[in-house]
Amino acid sequence: MNIGLTGGIACGKSTVSRLLASRGAIVIDADILAREVVEPGAPALLEVVRTFGQSVLHEDGTLNRKELGKLVFEDEARRKRLEELLHPAIIQLLQERMAEAERLQPDKLVVADVPLLYEAQMEDLFQEVLVVAADRGVQLERLMTRNGLSREEAEQRINAQMPIEWKKEWADTVIDNSGTPEETERQVEAFWRKKRLA
Ligand code: ADP
């Protein structure tokens, strides 16, 4: 069985992923796949260079993220074009990895950690979606601490995402990570048992 795991920034997706992995789930991290699809030699990187020019490459042929970031920053059309190039490649790789995991270890729970699952309308790729949520104040404090951001910067990042309330509404299961790590672990354990018995 496969599960998509998502939630707001700094709500605790990685924390819950780790707890599931330690119980035996196979975790696939979409952020890592997003880097893989632009590695040297990858077709999506060629497309990015064709669209945005050679300046997005370092001399050694790796992607110059800073330069690409500059080009798409504050240019909605370019940002959209970049997403259109990368999303299909990421989705394809994710589907391949999930299918491979399910084929090789059919009795394992496969969990895909996909921060922008709902924003990218990827819910149909998964049998179920698990949302990790935290109260806004807690989320803000944790984001400021983890990323060394001011309150204003952290608020901007949270506001740039889809409201967590919507994600909670659409989820098959919600884990509330506003409390202590122990409280979260109890919820993960309950979820794990339910899925193991299903
Ligand atoms: P995400 O992957 O959703 O961005 P993380 O799992 O990295 O979120 O959690 C965000 C930050 O909050 C991290 O620094 C993490 O160590 C911390 N954190 C997560 N859950 C808790 C918790 N229950 N209590 C205290 N700190 C937490």
Side-chain angles (χ1 to χ4, degrees), residues 7-16 18 113 142-143 146 177-182 184:
I9 183 169
C11 279
K13 296 178 297 294
S14 310
T15 304
V16 169
R18 269 196 301 277
D113 181 345
R142 287 183 187 157
L143 180 57
R146 188 190 65 186
N177 183 37
S178 308
T180 64
E182 292 72 29
T184 296

Side-chain angles (χ1 to χ4, degrees), residues 161-192:
Q161 294 193 332
M162 206 177 248
I164 188 76
E165 292 309 321
W166 296 8
K167 297 182 182 179
K168 283 164 75 172
E169 191 106 341
W170 295 327
D172 294 291
T173 309
V174 177
I175 288 188
D176 185 337
N177 183 37
S178 308
T180 64
E182 292 72 29
E183 282 167 330
T184 296
E185 185 149 12
R186 271 200 291 278
Q187 295 172 67
V188 171
E189 180 62 24
F191 174 76
W192 178 255

Side-chain angles (χ1 to χ4, degrees), residues 4 10 35-36 39 77-78 87 118 134 139 149 153 194:
R35 285 199 286 272
E36 271 187 59
E39 274 173 5
R78 279 190 183 155
H87 277 173
Y118 285 118
Q139 178 187 17
L149 298 179
E153 289 167 330
K194 208 160 97 192

